[in-house]
Amino acid sequence: MISDIQFGVRVEVPLKNKLYSALVIDLQKEMQMDYKPRTIVSIIDKEPIIGDQQFKLWNWISNYYSCTIGEVMNVALPSGLKLTSETKVYINPNYQEDMTTLSDEEYMIAEAITIQNELTIGEIRSILDKKTVYPVIRSLLDKEVVYVREELIEKYKPKNIGVVQLAEAYKKEPNKLSEVLDAVKKSEKQTRAILAIYQFSKSQEFIPKSDIYEISKVDNSVLRALEKKGIIELSEMEVSRLVHGNYQQKELPLLTDDQSTALKSISAIYKEKSQILLHGVTGSGKTRIYIELIREQLALGKQVLYLLPEIALTTQIVSRLRAVFGDDVGTYHSRMGNAERVEIWKAVNDEKPIVLGARSSMFLPYKNLGLIIVDEEHDSSYKQQDPAPRYNGRDTAVVMAQLHDAKVILGSATPSLESFHNVNQGKYGLVQLKNRIGSVALPEIEVVDLRYEYKTKRIKNGFSLALREGIEKALANDEQAMIFQNRRGYAPTIQCDQCGWHAECNNCDVSLTVHKFFNELRCHYCGSRRKMIETCPACGSHTLNQKGYGTEKIEAQIRELFPDAKVARMDYDTTKTKNAYQNIIADFTAKKIDILVGTQMITKGLDFEDIGIVGILNADLSLQFPDFRAGERAYQLFTQVAGRAGRKRKQGKVIIQSFQPTHPVILETIDNNYDRFFAREMAERQKFVYPPFYRFIQITLKHKQPKTVLEAAHFLAKQLSAKFGNRILGPTQPGVARLRGQYLQNITIKMEKDPKVMNGLKRFLMHARLHTLNSPGFKSVRINLDVDPY
């Protein structure tokens, strides 16, 4: 009924001959529209699936990051809540002709529909065992044998399990066990099953069949036999897919004096400000402080959102939080199945107390949010790249907290320049932890000059003499080692020594990476693959050289250098499956791994007790990246990876290999001098008009024809330059000029941190973008807008 329509419910709407679920965001009695509105076919929900604050956040994201509200909704809602239609075929009840006149295929389909009442297109394909079935369906439609219609398909289905319970007569009189055993004494299997059922029934009414199978070693036929005798009842029960368990409660260590002081400072600052930056060195116990803050919020009946930049981090943190808060902790991230994500959505709507997850967990329907923790707030993984909205999770969390009247704590050992700048501007409060727990010293950092190592031939398989000796010493002391190389694969490229040819991707302007395990060349941008080649396609030479080092090659070389060590690798290639992260981290924690090689995954907040040495194989890869943030990210990366060493028992050691041992970022890392690093970087940013003093918008145009994309870029840039002058830079060709078969052009906008200028520019930009797309020849050009792109 029309009276049941309200804000936040899903409704069924026809669009382009299909049905979709749409979200009601406003109700109007009278509206003047220049288009024909769609008719609502039905109402899907009885209660709203989103709340008012949620939609306000969507609106803010849409306005600030220059995207449509539909693009926000598409990212925000789990796919299990976004319904689409499926074509179903039905028998026409008015058809009176003889079906024997139909062809064999037509008759098979018509008969099957008569028996099953309806068939989907997929089911018809299975019956005919062929992909192209539309000619058969079209023929049946023309002969008026069948008709079709679209029906909305519910993607989410509750999980049901088979359960067992004692029949009512035996529930009331448990002393009838001997009578029951007499009834089944001729069957050993039934006897075992009955004993198991009685044992479980002491603590639970409904017993999962799987538990009975496991304990008594019987199958379903045994339970069916007991059901026929009236001893038990079999049924199905809906259960949650969310993890539940009896978590072993661990006694938390007492707060250190530094942690107690920090908590008092946080409480005092929260009386005046809602945002606090917690700047604590690696190993200083920031997580312990978060736990106390969570306890305070739960005592007030509030919800807490704990944000992490990487899924890999959830394993250790979830274990710690569940040891304290049990099933009050829920997780949400992209590795979860669609059904699990719908269930956590519903649990949060029912005020699940704690949610721990990646940036997408901000879109859950919180009703009573009291605190948002943004751990490792500096991490670039908080920035969404594709598709739109290209939002920053850290910045969005601050706005979200304001909408919910909640507090925010941003934690990091290496804060982003933006956050520390906000501290200096008085927007955020600052609390610092300058010491590690137990007064364990920060790691000793040694810089190895690779120029000298190569000159004196002390380098071996990419490892300097000092690093090799350090690893040997750590292993001899029953300690572990961690090796960082921020390139996955075996080697970044393969090149011919005779003519200089190197393997390039057919779709992207990048070299193909060697993956030796798979005997393939792979593109890390578009995912295309090619079998390994033995001869140069340009000159026929066999002298092909695999240039550079990736994590796969480092792993192989470590096995050569330390044949008795247990070695593992942690990168994108080894962590694709759902539980791969957990397995590697669990094995390293249990010391089943002596040396762990990895990309930046190993740098982010992981806590291990026995790492004696950390090696950074080539610091210059980070320092020489063509990005104004290269220095900031390098400092954060070096400090974070160094922070994995010697966290609990004694001082660890870090060895940084570099061709630039006196680079300012390396010296600041050695001294752990964030203040000096911050002052130097900020002076450069201000001089060259970079964030956080100015704001950036990056416009990327894409098209399969280089001429078309260049003309469109100049057309758009001309409109913008006429209005905003030298704030517009470009168009320019990016470093990687072609991706996935599309040629790229970039336009960069630098603008003052003035809300009026920013809002006016964004409005004009959306208008200019639309004008460009509607101009002759540019309709197929893709124009992506990225606000605060770096």
Side-chain angles (χ1 to χ4, degrees):
M1 291 181 63
I2 193 71
S3 59
D4 294 328
I5 296 178
Q6 56 180 313
F7 167 83
V9 300
R10 290 171 302 165
V11 292
E12 191 176 350
V13 176
L15 184 64
K16 293 183 179 179
N17 300 320
K18 285 190 173 290
L19 294 171
Y20 293 88
S21 60
L23 201 60
V24 176
I25 59 172
D26 196 10
L27 300 174
Q28 297 283 343
K29 288 185 178 180
E30 293 183 8
M31 286 184 68
Q32 289 186 348
M33 293 175 288
D34 55 1
Y35 60 90
K36 184 180 178 181
R38 300 290 174 179
T39 303
I40 292 176
V41 178
S42 67
I43 303 167
I44 299 171
D45 304 303
K46 292 181 180 179
E47 300 292 334
I49 64 166
I50 68 165
D52 185 51
Q53 280 105 334
Q54 247 182 312
F55 189 66
K56 286 180 180 177
L57 181 67
W58 292 10
N59 257 325
W60 179 83
I61 292 173
S62 172
N63 292 328
Y64 186 82
Y65 291 103
S66 297
C67 60
T68 66
I69 195 75
E71 287 173 322
V72 181
M73 182 189 75
N74 195 44
V75 169
L77 290 181
S79 59
L81 294 178
K82 293 178 288 190
L83 312 183
T84 58
S85 65
E86 184 172 302
T87 302
K88 292 192 176 182
V89 184
Y90 299 85
I91 284 290
N92 182 357
N94 299 321
Y95 182 73
Q96 303 295 331
E97 303 296 324
D98 186 359
M99 285 194 182
T100 57
T101 61
L102 303 176
S103 70
D104 290 344
E105 288 186 338
E106 291 169 350
Y107 184 82
M108 285 173 65
I109 298 306
E111 185 180 41
I113 299 172
T114 303
I115 295 169
Q116 299 185 38
N117 297 322
E118 62 180 40
L119 287 178
T120 66
I121 300 297
E123 288 167 339
I124 292 173
R125 287 193 181 107
S126 297
I127 292 169
L128 297 180
D129 193 23
K130 58 193 294 189
K131 289 185 178 180
T132 307
V133 297
Y134 289 104
V136 180
I137 297 170
R138 171 53 56 195
S139 179
L140 289 170
L141 287 169
D142 291 342
K143 295 174 182 177
E144 298 185 346
V145 179
V146 299
Y147 68 94
V148 299
R149 73 169 182 236
E150 295 287 327
E151 290 191 0
L152 211 57
I153 303 301
E154 178 73 66
K155 294 181 182 178
Y156 168 73
K157 292 182 180 179
K159 181 180 179 181
N160 292 314
I161 62 169
V163 293
V164 180
Q165 61 177 323
L166 286 169
E168 200 64 34
Y170 298 104
K171 279 186 197 174
K172 294 177 180 177
E173 299 184 47
N175 57 356
K176 283 190 174 184
L177 175 59
S178 58
E179 179 186 319
V180 171
L181 290 174
D182 285 341
V184 299
K185 63 184 179 181
K186 291 182 180 180
S187 171
E188 182 186 345
K189 290 183 178 180
Q190 290 182 20
T191 300
R192 291 203 307 268
I194 283 295
L195 290 172
I197 291 166
Y198 264 90
Q199 184 63 33
F200 279 117
S201 64
K202 292 177 181 179
S203 58
Q204 59 192 104
E205 181 179 358
F206 295 97
I207 309 155
K209 284 182 179 181
S210 57
D211 290 352
I212 305 298
Y213 299 155
E214 183 179 349
I215 296 296
S216 59
K217 309 300 180 189
V218 301
D219 57 25
N220 194 51
S221 63
V222 176
L223 298 183
R224 288 291 181 194
L226 292 174
E227 184 184 38
K228 285 182 180 178
K229 291 178 180 179
I231 299 171
I232 64 171
E233 295 174 359
L234 301 178
S235 60
E236 285 201 339
M237 176 184 288
E238 183 180 329
V239 295
S240 173
R241 291 178 174 85
L242 305 181
V243 176
H244 294 280
N246 296 317
Y247 303 105
Q248 184 176 358
Q249 297 290 311
K250 291 184 180 179
E251 189 172 335
L252 290 170
L254 294 175
L255 291 166
T256 65
D257 290 342
D258 286 347
Q259 289 170 336
S260 297
T261 302
L263 279 167
K264 289 176 184 176
S265 299
I266 289 169
S267 296
I269 294 171
Y270 273 152
K271 292 176 182 177
E272 299 178 2
K273 293 183 174 75
S274 294
Q275 301 88 18
I276 291 177
L277 175 65
L278 178 60
H279 181 194
V281 298
T282 55
S284 58
K286 294 185 287 294
T287 305
R288 182 69 179 86
I289 289 178
Y290 298 152
I291 288 172
E292 290 303 312
L293 294 175
I294 292 170
R295 278 176 165 168
E296 291 175 9
Q297 293 299 319
L298 297 193
L300 297 171
K302 297 284 190 177
Q303 293 174 291
V304 176
L305 170 59
Y306 193 132
L307 286 173
L308 291 165
E310 290 273 5
I311 300 167
L313 289 176
T314 61
T315 303
Q316 283 194 332
I317 300 296
V318 165
S319 298
R320 289 188 196 177
L321 294 186
R322 282 187 173 149
V324 180
F325 302 107
D327 283 332
D328 282 348
V329 181
T331 59
Y332 191 86
H333 53 72
S334 60
R335 290 286 175 95
M336 297 173 69
N338 289 329
E340 286 179 286
R341 297 176 85 177
V342 172
E343 290 196 9
I344 193 68
W345 182 284
K346 292 180 177 180
V348 172
N349 199 38
D350 292 334
E351 301 196 27
K352 179 98 174 170
I354 306 167
V355 175
L356 186 146
R359 60 177 182 264
S360 58
S361 56
M362 288 190 297
F363 293 115
L364 293 169
Y366 302 95
K367 290 183 176 178
N368 197 15
L369 193 61
L371 174 69
I372 301 177
I373 298 166
V374 185
D375 201 8
E376 308 295 339
E377 65 85 29
H378 66 277
D379 201 288
S380 59
S381 296
Y382 279 119
K383 173 67 176 176
Q384 163 82 1
Q385 300 299 333
D386 279 308
R390 297 171 180 85
Y391 66 100
N392 186 302
R394 176 197 65 219
D395 299 342
T396 305
V398 173
V399 174
M400 178 182 177
Q402 292 172 348
L403 293 172
H404 285 266
D405 195 24
K407 307 295 185 186
V408 178
I409 187 157
L410 310 169
S412 177
T414 53
S416 63
L417 295 187
E418 282 80 3
S419 293
F420 213 80
H421 180 64
N422 282 333
V423 169
N424 290 344
Q425 295 294 305
K427 294 179 181 179
Y428 295 174
L430 176 65
V431 175
Q432 293 182 303
L433 290 167
K434 297 184 177 182
N435 301 307
R436 283 184 157 188
I437 294 174
S439 299
V440 175
L442 288 168
E444 173 195 351
I445 300 178
E446 178 183 345
V447 181
V448 173
D449 188 345
L450 287 178
R451 294 170 299 182
Y452 178 77
E453 292 293 306
Y454 278 103
K455 185 177 179 180
T456 57
K457 298 182 179 179
R458 303 204 307 176
I459 204 85
K460 188 175 181 180
N461 291 352
F463 287 74
S464 63
L465 177 62
L467 182 52
R468 296 198 305 273
E469 290 178 346
I471 295 173
E472 286 175 358
K473 183 179 178 181
L475 295 177
N477 293 334
D478 195 30
E479 295 174 337
Q480 295 165 293
M482 188 176 274
I483 306 300
F484 170 74
Q485 175 77 347
N486 208 20
R487 273 186 179 163
R488 63 187 177 96
Y490 190 82
T493 188
I494 185 169
Q495 184 175 332
C496 176
D497 288 341
Q498 293 294 321
C499 69
W501 172 91
H502 67 280
E504 287 190 342
C505 176
N506 292 328
N507 306 313
C508 312
D509 286 345
V510 295
S511 298
L512 291 173
T513 301
V514 178
H515 284 256
K516 196 167 186 179
F517 180 80
F518 299 102
N519 196 34
E520 286 180 338
L521 299 170
R522 293 184 176 182
C523 176
H524 289 175
Y525 286 84
C526 71
S528 65
R529 303 179 181 187
R530 190 188 304 175
K531 280 291 180 185
M532 186 68 74
I533 56 175
E534 302 297 332
T535 58
C536 175
C539 69
S541 170
H542 291 276
T543 57
L544 293 175
N545 195 356
Q546 296 171 1
K547 301 282 189 179
Y549 294 88
T551 48
E552 187 183 355
K553 189 174 186 178
I554 297 298
E555 179 189 16
Q557 293 180 334
I558 285 178
R559 293 183 191 277
E560 288 182 19
L561 292 170
F562 307 98
D564 297 328
K566 292 166 285 186
V567 185
R569 174 164 49 97
M570 187 173 176
D571 57 24
Y572 179 80
D573 297 318
T574 62
T575 55
K576 287 182 179 179
T577 59
K578 184 176 180 180
N579 297 315
Y581 288 110
Q582 292 93 314
N583 295 337
I584 294 172
I585 291 170
D587 286 347
F588 197 64
T589 303
K591 301 192 73 172
K592 294 178 182 178
I593 299 169
D594 297 319
I595 305 173
L596 181 63
V597 183
T599 57
Q600 58 182 347
M601 287 183 182
I602 66 174
T603 72
K604 300 179 180 183
L606 297 173
D607 189 8
F608 303 108
E609 293 189 2
D610 289 308
I611 298 178
I613 188 166
V614 170
I616 299 174
L617 289 189
N618 191 346
D620 306 298
L621 287 177
S622 301
L623 293 170
Q624 295 172 348
F625 201 76
D627 180 354
F628 77 89
R629 288 193 189 277
E632 178 183 7
R633 288 184 176 153
Y635 177 83
Q636 292 165 344
L637 201 60
F638 300 161
T639 303
Q640 291 287 341
V641 74
R644 302 313 108 205
R647 292 172 68 91
K648 293 290 170 71
R649 298 178 183 175
K650 64 177 184 179
Q651 184 182 30
K653 186 169 185 177
V654 178
I655 293 180
I656 300 176
Q657 299 185 168
S658 173
F659 288 98
Q660 307 173 77
T662 58
H663 193 286
V665 170
I666 291 178
L667 298 179
E668 289 151 2
T669 303
I670 293 171
D671 297 337
N672 191 39
N673 196 329
Y674 179 84
D675 290 338
R676 191 172 78 213
F677 155 76
F678 177 79
R680 181 184 55 78
E681 283 286 327
M682 289 295 279
E684 290 183 8
R685 298 279 183 90
Q686 191 162 24
K687 179 180 179 181
F688 294 105
V689 196
Y690 281 127
F693 301 101
Y694 264 56
R695 286 286 167 88
F696 276 22
I697 297 178
Q698 180 135 310
I699 308 164
T700 301
L701 296 90
K702 303 180 181 182
H703 196 268
K704 61 184 179 181
Q705 296 296 332
K707 182 181 178 183
T708 302
V709 73
L710 181 61
E711 289 174 352
H714 279 289
F715 184 84
L716 178 57
K718 187 176 180 181
Q719 297 175 70
L720 296 172
S721 297
K723 182 79 172 177
F724 295 102
N726 60 6
R727 294 184 182 91
I728 311 302
L729 306 176
T732 58
Q733 195 176 74
V736 180
R738 183 172 57 108
L739 286 177
R740 300 178 183 88
Q742 300 276 315
Y743 289 89
L744 311 182
Q745 287 287 330
N746 285 344
I747 300 170
T748 302
I749 303 175
K750 277 187 180 181
M751 56 185 171
E752 306 91 318
K753 291 181 69 174
D754 182 333
K756 289 183 180 179
V757 173
M758 287 171 61
N759 293 335
L761 192 150
K762 286 178 187 177
R763 283 194 298 269
F764 185 81
L765 174 57
M766 296 296 280
H767 169 77
R769 176 178 179 269
L770 186 61
H771 180 56
T772 302
L773 293 174
N774 288 334
S775 297
F778 300 149
K779 186 176 181 179
S780 56
V781 175
R782 291 176 58 193
I783 303 178
N784 293 338
L785 308 180
D786 193 355
V787 179
D788 301 338
Y790 304 105

